[in-house]
C-alpha cells in the first residue's frame, strides 16, 4: 500500500479485498488511518451494534429487566450518574455484594433503590470497623496506610458514589410504574436521555471514522427508526403500550435496521468483502487473508442434510459452495485493471506454518501474467523496519530515524519537529546506570528518624523495595477479596490471644467471632463460618498445646502481664536506641516473674517466620520502658501458631560490664552469641545506606528474594539495565 501511493497511485485507485471482512475491516481501517490514507469501509451495520444507541436505550432495558445491579452499574459506566470512576463503582458493587444478588430477581424501582442504600450503608459500616481494627493493632506505617486507604474509600462512597447512584435512580424515575403509556412518550424519553448524556459532545473523544459511524447511527435512530416504529405501533392499534412490549418491538427493529459504516466519498481506498468486490473496477486490488483454512471455507449444517439427499440424485453442496467461492475470486481478480497483489503470512505468532489458499496456484497459472514476489531479498524478509524515505506515520518515522541515532545524519534529523523529543529519550537510555540517589538532601526529611523493624528489614532484604515503598511512596492496591487477608489473620490472632491471656475475655471463641466480624467487609454467613472454623482450629491448638511448651532458657514462674505494649504509636513516644535513631512498634506480650523482676518477651508469628534481630531490638526497648520499675528482659522467643517449630529463636540475655549480649538456643556454637555492638552495627549500616541514597535491588544478589514481591513487575522492567554488554 505504501509503495503504491509513493509510486503515484491515488487512494481511489486501490481496494483491499478481505476474505473475512468482519475480522479485517477494523484492522485495515485503523492502519490506513494511522498512515493518513483516506479510506472507506463498505457495507452496513446493525443499528444495535452502535455503542451510542445501546447507551441510549440502557435505562429502558434496565427497567424492563427489573433494575438488576449489573444494569445500574452499566448506567454508571455510560455516564447517567455523572462523572464517576467506573472501576471504583464496580469495585464497591463487588465489595458490598450487591452484584451477587440472586440472578433474575426482579424488583420495583423503590425496592431496588432501598437495596442499594442498605448494601452501601452496611459496606461503610464494615469498612469503618475494619479500619478501627487495623489502627488498634498497627505497628508500621504501611499498615496505617491501609487504614488511610479504607478511610479514603468511605469518603469516596459517601461523597461521590451515593450521589451518583441517586442520580441514576432519578433517571429511572419514569419507570416507578411499568404501566402502559402513550407510544410517543418513549421517543421523548430517549431524546431527554440524549440531552442528559450530551451524547453528541462525547463523539469528540472518538477517532474520526468512529465519530462518523456513531453520528450516522444516532441520526438514523431519531430520524427514521423511532418515528417509523411509532407509526407502525399506532397502525397496529397500540396507542398505549407497556415498557416491556415497547422494548421487545424496539429490539426487533434495532437488530434489522442498518446504518452505513462509511459515507461514499471519492478518492478513498476501499475495504471490501469478496462478494462486493466482484464488479468493482480498480487499478490495483490487494487480497488479504486468502490462506488455507480461511479460504475456501465451506461447511454443511447436518440439521439440513435433507437439502443434499432429498433428491434422487444427491447434490454435493460442499462442492457447489466451493465452486461459487472460486468463481467469486476469479471474477474479482479479473476486474482489476492493472495489478493484483496477495498478502501471504508465512506463520502464526507461535511459529506454526500458514499455507496459501489452494486456489492461488490455479489463479497464477491461468493469469498468463508476470509474477513478482516481494518481501524477501536473498531469501530473507525485509521491509518490516521502514526506510526513512518510505515512512508514512509518526511511529514509523521514529523507528526509521532511531536507526540513524549517533550517525552524522542525526544532527539534522533531530531538529525535525516530531523527532525533537526522540533525541532526549535515546540519549537517556545511554546514561550511566546507578542505583544511588544523587541529591540526598531530602532523604532525611522524607524517611525521618523514626523506624519500625519492618522498615529496617525491608532495606536489609531489598534496598530498592524500600526506596519504592518509603521514598517514592508507591501504593500497592488494597486486596479486595471476600476472605480474610494475611494482615487480617495476623490482627485477629493477636487480638484473640491478647483478650484470652489478659483475662479480658476468657471465652476465646466469642472473641474470635467478634474479631472476624470486625475485619470482614461484608456479612456473608458462608464466608464467616468458613473463616471461623479455619481460625478456630489454629487457636485451639495454640491455646491447648503450643502455649504450654516452654522454650529453652525460660526458667522461673512467669505470668503474662503486658500486652501490645506500644512505643512510638499513637500517643506513645518512640525509643531512642542511638543518636538520632528512634524505634517504633508494639511488643505482643511480656511475661513477668515477680520474684526475680525478670521479663520474658514473646512475639507471635503465624508461621515459621521472624527475624531474631527484632527480638533483640525489642528486648532493649522493653528494658528501657520498664527501667523505672526495676524490670529487665531475661529472654524471649517467637511463638508460632502453626508449623513444626513451636518456639523459634529462643534466647537469654547475658549481661556483663563490657556490653550486653544474647545467647540463642539450638544454634551452632560460632553463631550462638550475638553482641549489642553487632546489632547496632547492623542498624548503622542500614541507616547509613538509606541516608546516603544507596538503593540497589536484591536481584543483583539473588533473584529468589523477588518471589512474591509486591514490586516484582517494576523490578522486571528494569532488569535489562543490568546487562554488561551493549546487546544485553
Amino acid at each position: 500500500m505504501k509503495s503504491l501511493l509513493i509510486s503515484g497511485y491515488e487512494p481511489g485507485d486501490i481496494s483491499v479485498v478481505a476474505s473475512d471482512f468482519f475480522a479485517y475491516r477494523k484492522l485495515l481501517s485503523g492502519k490506513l488511518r494511522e498512515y493518513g490514507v483516506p479510506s472507506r469501509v463498505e457495507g452496513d451495520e446493525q443499528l444495535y451494534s452502535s455503542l451510542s444507541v445501546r447507551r441510549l436505550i440502557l435505562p429502558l432495558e434496565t427497567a424492563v429487566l427489573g433494575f438488576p445491579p449489573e444494569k445500574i452499574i452499566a448506567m454508571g459506566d455510560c455516564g447517567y450518574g455523572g462523572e464517576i470512576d467506573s472501576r471504583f463503582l464496580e469495585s464497591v458493587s463487588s465489595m458490598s455484594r450487591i452484584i451477587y444478588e440472586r440472578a433474575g430477581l426482579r424488583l420495583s424501582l423503590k425496592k431496588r433503590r432501598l437495596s442499594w442504600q442498605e448494601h452501601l450503608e452496611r459496606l461503610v459500616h464494615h469498612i469503618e470497623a475494619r479500619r478501627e481494627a487495623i489502627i488498634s493493632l498497627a505497628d508500621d506505617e504501611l499498615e496505617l496506610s491501609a487504614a488511610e486507604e479504607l478511610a479514603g474509600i468511605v469518603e469516596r462512597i459517601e461523597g461521590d458514589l451515593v450521589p451518583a447512584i441517586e442520580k441514576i435512580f432519578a433517571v429511572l424515575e419514569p419507570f416507578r410504574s411499568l404501566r402502559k403509556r402513550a407510544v410517543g412518550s418513549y421517543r421523548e424519553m430517549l431524546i431527554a436521555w440524549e440531552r442528559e448524556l450530551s451524547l453528541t459532545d462525547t463523539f469528540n473523544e472518538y477517532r474520526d471514522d468512529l465519530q462518523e459511524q456513531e453520528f450516522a447511527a444516532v441520526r438514523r435512530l431519531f430520524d427514521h427508526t423511532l418515528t417509523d416504529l411509532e407509526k407502525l405501533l399506532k397502525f397496529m392499534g397500540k396507542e398505549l403500550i407497556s415498557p416491556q412490549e415497547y422494548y421487545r418491538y424496539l429490539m426487533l427493529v434495532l437488530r434489522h435496521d442498518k446504518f452505513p459504516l462509511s459515507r461514499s466519498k471519492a478518492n478513498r481506498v476501499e475495504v471490501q468483502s469478496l462478494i462486493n468486490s466482484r464488479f468493482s473496477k480498480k487499478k490495483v486490488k490487494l487480497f488479504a487473508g486468502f490462506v488455507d483454512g480461511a479460504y475456501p471455507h465451506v461447511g454443511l449444517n447436518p440439521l439440513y442434510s435433507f437439502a443434499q439427499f432429498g433428491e434422487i440424485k444427491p447434490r454435493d453442496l460442499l462442492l457447489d459452495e466451493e465452486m461459487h467461492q472460486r468463481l467469486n475470486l476469479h471474477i474479482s481478480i479479473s476486474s482489476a485493471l492493472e495489478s493484483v497483489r496477495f498478502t501471504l503470512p508465512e506463520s502464526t505468532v507461535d511459529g506454526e506454518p500458514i499455507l496459501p489458499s489452494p486456489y492461488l496456484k490455479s489463479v497464477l497459472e491461468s493469469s498468463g501474467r508476470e509474477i513478482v514476489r516481494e518481501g524477501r531479498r536473498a531469501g530473507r524478509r525485509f521491509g518490516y523496519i521502514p526506510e526513512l524515505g518510505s515512512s508514512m506515520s509518526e511511529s514509523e518515522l521514529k523507528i526509521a530515524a532511531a536507526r540513524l541515532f549517533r550517525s552524522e545524519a542525526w544532527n539534522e534529523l533531530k531538529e525535525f519537529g516530531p523527532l525533537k523529543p526522540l533525541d532526549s529519550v535515546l540519549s537517556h537510555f545511554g546514561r550511566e546506570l546507578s542505583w544511588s540517589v544523587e541529591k540526598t538532601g531530602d532523604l532525611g526529611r522524607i524517611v525521618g528518624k523514626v523506624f519500625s523493624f519492618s522498615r529496617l528489614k525491608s532495606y536489609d532484604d531489598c534496598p530498592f523495595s524500600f526506596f519504592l515503598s518509603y521514598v517514592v511512596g508507591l501504593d500497592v492496591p488494597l486486596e479486595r477479596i471476600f476472605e480474610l487477608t494475611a494482615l487480617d489473620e495476623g490482627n485477629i490472632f493477636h487480638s484473640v490471644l491478647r483478650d484470652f491471656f489478659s483475662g479480658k475475655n476468657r471465652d476465646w471463641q466469642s472473641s474470635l467471632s467478634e474479631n472476624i466480624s470486625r475485619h470482614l467487609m461484608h456479612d456473608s454467613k458462608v464466608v464467616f463460618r468458613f473463616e471461623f472454623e479455619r481460625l478456630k482450629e489454629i487457636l485451639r491448638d495454640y491455646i491447648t498445646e503450643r502455649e504450654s511448651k516452654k522454650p529453652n532458657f525460660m526458667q522461673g514462674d512467669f505470668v503474662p502481664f503486658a500486652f501490645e505494649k506500644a512505643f512510638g504509636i499513637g500517643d506513645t513516644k518512640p525509643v531512642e536506641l542511638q543518636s538520632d535513631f528512634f524505634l517504633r512498634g508494639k511488643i505482643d506480650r511480656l511475661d513477668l516473674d515477680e520474684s526475680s523482676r525478670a521479663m520474658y518477651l514473646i512475639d507471635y508469628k503465624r508461621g515459621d517466620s521472624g527475624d531474631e534481630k527484632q527480638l533483640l531490638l525489642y528486648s532493649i526497648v522493653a528494658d528501657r520502658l520498664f527501667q523505672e520499675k526495676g524490670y529487665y528482659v531475661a529472654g524471649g522467643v517467637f511463638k508460632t501458631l502453626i508449623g513444626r517449630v513451636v518456639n523459634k529463636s529462643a534466647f537469654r540475655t547475658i549481661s556483663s560490664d563490657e556490653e550486653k549480649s544474647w545467647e540463642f538456643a539450638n544454634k551452632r556454637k560460632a553463631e550462638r552469641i550475638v553482641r549489642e555492638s553487632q546489632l547496632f552495627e547492623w542498624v548503622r549500616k542500614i541507616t547509613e545506606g538509606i541516608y546516603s541514597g544507596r538503593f540497589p535491588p536484591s536481584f543483583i544478589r539473588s533473584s529468589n528474594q523477588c518471589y512474591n514481591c509486591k514490586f516484582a513487575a517494576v523490578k522486571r522492567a528494569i532488569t535489562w539495565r543490568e546487562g554488561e554488554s551493549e546487546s544485553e
Side-chain angles (χ1 to χ4, degrees):
M1 177 75 72
K2 292 188 294 182
S3 61
L4 289 171
L5 294 172
I6 292 172
S7 64
Y9 281 98
E10 293 291 328
D13 297 333
I14 305 169
S15 71
V16 182
V17 182
S19 61
D20 188 341
F21 175 72
F22 293 100
Y24 272 87
R25 65 182 185 184
K26 290 184 178 179
L27 175 65
L28 293 172
S29 60
K31 207 64 182 176
L32 292 171
R33 183 174 59 257
E34 179 187 337
Y35 289 154
V37 178
S39 62
R40 176 183 178 273
V41 180
E42 63 135 37
D44 297 330
E45 188 67 70
Q46 280 186 0
L47 203 55
Y48 185 67
S49 67
S50 164
L51 177 63
S52 300
V53 171
R54 295 171 73 172
R55 288 175 66 185
L56 281 173
I57 67 171
L58 185 56
L60 175 62
E61 184 178 7
T62 302
V64 168
L65 296 178
F67 311 99
E70 63 272 16
K71 292 299 179 181
I72 302 294
I73 296 170
M75 288 184 66
D77 291 341
C78 291
Y80 285 98
E83 293 292 333
I84 185 172
D85 186 344
S86 299
R87 290 186 178 181
F88 182 68
L89 171 59
E90 294 169 7
S91 174
V92 170
S93 303
S94 177
M95 287 192 294
S96 65
R97 299 179 64 245
I98 193 168
I99 195 68
Y100 301 105
E101 283 191 332
R102 183 162 59 86
L105 178 65
R106 292 172 176 266
L107 295 177
S108 66
L109 181 67
K110 181 180 179 180
K111 289 183 178 179
R112 186 67 75 181
R113 188 201 299 261
L114 185 61
S115 173
W116 271 86
Q117 291 173 348
E118 291 175 350
H119 277 83
L120 292 178
E121 287 173 1
R122 281 201 302 269
L123 176 62
V124 168
H125 170 74
H126 290 308
I127 291 176
E128 289 178 339
R130 185 183 183 191
R131 175 175 171 270
E132 291 173 2
I134 291 175
I135 292 175
S136 66
L137 292 165
D139 60 358
D140 182 72
E141 48 265 56
L142 286 183
E143 294 181 10
L144 290 173
S145 68
E148 292 174 3
E149 183 177 354
L150 291 174
I153 292 175
V154 171
E155 184 178 347
R156 292 183 67 185
I157 291 174
E158 295 177 341
D160 299 335
L161 192 58
V162 171
I165 296 299
E166 287 299 322
K167 190 173 182 180
I168 290 172
F169 278 103
V171 173
L172 295 171
E173 191 62 30
F175 300 107
R176 177 180 289 273
S177 169
L178 298 180
R179 58 177 175 74
K180 291 184 177 182
R181 61 199 71 194
V183 67
S185 64
Y186 295 98
R187 185 171 183 272
E188 294 174 1
M189 289 183 196
L190 287 164
I191 293 173
W193 296 335
E194 193 277 332
R195 291 173 182 164
E196 176 76 22
L197 295 177
S198 300
L199 192 62
T200 54
D201 294 338
T202 63
F203 292 164
N204 296 326
E205 303 171 5
Y206 302 154
R207 57 180 191 267
D208 293 341
D209 61 328
L210 193 55
Q211 282 186 37
E212 186 177 294
Q213 292 177 20
E214 293 300 317
F215 267 120
V218 173
R219 190 163 51 245
R220 176 74 185 178
L221 176 71
F222 285 111
D223 293 349
H224 299 281
T225 307
L226 294 178
T227 53
D228 290 348
L229 176 60
E230 186 177 336
K231 292 177 183 177
L232 177 62
L233 291 173
K234 287 181 178 179
F235 177 77
M236 295 169 61
K238 296 182 178 294
E239 297 281 349
L240 298 176
I241 189 170
S242 67
Q244 294 95 331
E245 192 173 4
Y246 183 85
Y247 175 73
R248 286 199 300 270
Y249 282 113
L250 179 62
M251 291 301 297
L252 187 65
V253 172
L254 293 179
R255 286 194 167 94
H256 288 81
D257 203 0
K258 298 181 182 296
F259 70 97
L261 287 171
S262 300
R263 287 181 289 174
S264 181
K265 290 184 178 180
N267 201 22
R268 292 188 170 211
V269 173
E270 290 199 27
V271 180
Q272 300 176 313
S273 65
L274 181 62
I275 294 292
N276 291 338
S277 71
R278 293 176 300 172
F279 306 108
S280 172
K281 294 187 179 295
K282 297 287 184 178
K283 289 184 179 181
V284 181
K285 285 191 174 183
L286 304 176
F287 290 81
F290 288 82
V291 295
D292 189 25
Y295 205 86
H297 183 70
V298 294
L300 181 66
N301 189 335
L303 297 177
Y304 293 92
S305 59
F306 63 86
Q308 180 174 3
F309 299 105
E311 301 178 7
I312 297 177
K313 183 179 179 181
R315 296 168 53 197
D316 193 337
L317 295 182
L318 297 180
L319 181 60
D320 288 349
E321 189 175 352
E322 185 176 336
M323 290 299 294
H324 290 158
Q325 292 188 32
R326 179 178 296 188
L327 180 62
N328 292 337
L329 180 61
H330 277 266
I331 294 174
S332 179
I333 291 172
S334 64
S335 62
L337 302 178
E338 294 186 9
S339 69
V340 173
R341 304 194 178 207
F342 285 89
T343 63
L344 298 175
E346 296 180 335
S347 65
T348 65
V349 175
D350 298 326
E352 297 180 3
I354 298 177
L355 301 177
S357 170
Y359 292 169
L360 297 188
K361 184 177 180 180
S362 63
V363 170
L364 298 177
E365 291 175 349
S366 62
S367 65
R369 297 285 183 172
E370 180 184 2
I371 300 171
V372 180
R373 297 186 180 275
E374 297 180 350
R376 284 186 176 272
R377 287 178 183 169
R380 300 182 62 182
R381 301 166 76 178
F382 79 97
Y384 292 96
I385 298 179
E387 299 293 334
L388 195 62
S390 61
S391 301
M392 291 188 62
S393 67
E394 187 172 323
S395 59
E396 282 193 359
L397 176 64
K398 290 179 179 179
I399 294 172
R403 302 175 67 186
L404 301 174
F405 182 62
R406 291 179 180 167
S407 68
E408 294 181 1
W410 181 252
N411 292 329
E412 297 182 12
L413 285 173
K414 68 181 182 180
E415 299 301 325
F416 182 58
L419 299 181
K420 285 183 178 180
L422 188 62
D423 181 62
S424 61
V425 171
L426 296 177
S427 301
H428 197 57
F429 279 127
R431 72 192 186 281
E432 182 182 353
L433 175 62
S434 172
W435 298 108
S436 298
V437 175
E438 294 180 359
K439 300 179 181 179
T440 60
D442 289 336
L443 282 176
R445 176 183 57 81
I446 295 171
V447 177
K449 298 178 181 179
V450 180
F451 290 82
S452 63
F453 181 79
S454 60
R455 290 181 74 183
L456 298 173
K457 188 71 167 60
S458 173
Y459 185 89
D460 190 44
D461 289 341
C462 179
F464 189 63
S465 286
F466 178 93
F467 174 76
L468 295 176
S469 293
Y470 298 102
V471 180
V472 178
L474 286 186
D475 289 328
V476 178
L478 188 69
E479 290 185 275
R480 294 185 175 90
I481 55 178
F482 286 126
E483 60 270 23
L484 297 170
T485 65
L487 175 62
D488 295 332
E489 284 187 26
N491 288 339
I492 290 172
F493 287 140
H494 281 75
S495 296
V496 174
L497 293 175
R498 178 197 62 203
D499 293 346
F500 179 79
F501 289 110
S502 67
K504 180 181 178 181
N505 188 351
R506 298 295 291 180
D507 184 0
W508 61 268
Q509 292 195 32
S510 68
S511 176
L512 174 62
S513 175
E514 179 184 340
N515 279 282
I516 291 177
S517 299
R518 291 175 66 194
H519 285 83
L520 284 177
M521 292 201 296
H522 53 78
D523 53 0
S524 170
K525 294 181 180 179
V526 175
V527 178
F528 176 86
R529 187 163 57 250
F530 169 79
E531 294 291 2
F532 180 83
E533 293 298 327
R534 185 172 65 87
L535 301 188
K536 183 178 73 173
E537 293 302 317
I538 296 174
L539 285 167
R540 175 186 286 122
D541 179 59
Y542 180 84
I543 292 172
T544 59
E545 299 289 338
R546 301 173 82 93
E547 170 67 20
S548 61
K549 295 180 180 180
K550 289 190 175 183
N552 294 329
F553 302 146
M554 187 178 184
Q555 298 176 353
D557 189 15
F558 287 95
V559 294
F561 91 104
F563 305 90
E564 305 292 340
K565 184 61 178 179
F567 49 98
I569 297 176
D571 298 331
T572 61
K573 294 182 179 180
V575 175
E576 186 175 11
L577 297 184
Q578 287 182 315
S579 177
D580 288 337
F581 173 76
F582 298 82
L583 194 67
R584 60 179 290 178
K586 281 184 180 179
I587 300 174
D588 291 345
R589 174 176 148 192
L590 285 166
D591 290 5
L592 177 66
D593 181 0
E594 190 66 47
S595 61
S596 63
R597 316 292 284 179
M599 296 185 297
Y600 201 84
L601 187 149
I602 294 176
D603 194 275
Y604 298 120
K605 295 295 180 186
R606 187 184 187 280
D608 188 14
S609 61
D611 190 311
E612 61 189 34
K613 290 184 283 294
Q614 180 183 3
L615 290 175
L616 302 184
L617 287 172
Y618 280 17
S619 72
I620 297 174
V621 170
D623 281 337
R624 298 189 182 181
L625 291 176
F626 293 95
Q627 186 175 10
E628 294 182 358
K629 295 184 178 181
Y631 299 155
Y632 68 95
V633 175
V637 70
F638 286 123
K639 296 288 285 188
T640 64
L641 278 73
I642 60 174
R644 184 178 58 84
V645 178
V646 177
N647 299 301
K648 182 178 183 294
S649 301
F651 74 91
R652 65 179 176 182
T653 305
I654 302 174
S655 299
S656 66
D657 295 336
E658 297 178 359
E659 65 175 338
K660 184 182 292 187
S661 59
W662 302 273
E663 181 182 0
F664 284 89
N666 302 324
K667 276 198 169 189
R668 289 182 296 182
K669 188 174 182 179
E671 301 174 349
R672 187 172 295 174
I673 304 297
V674 177
R675 301 186 183 281
E676 190 175 45
S677 59
Q678 294 175 304
L679 181 63
F680 284 143
E681 177 62 17
W682 176 77
V683 172
R684 186 194 64 79
K685 287 182 178 179
I686 289 177
T687 54
E688 185 180 274
I690 292 172
Y691 294 131
S692 62
R694 297 194 300 269
F695 301 104
S698 63
F699 59 70
I700 294 178
R701 304 193 301 266
S702 170
S703 60
N704 293 333
Q705 296 191 41
C706 297
Y707 182 71
N708 276 346
C709 174
K710 58 188 177 183
F711 298 122
V714 179
K715 291 182 178 180
R716 284 195 297 268
I718 58 174
T719 51
W720 67 274
R721 295 302 308 275
E722 280 301 309
E724 295 180 0
S725 66
E726 185 175 345
S727 61
E728 290 177 328

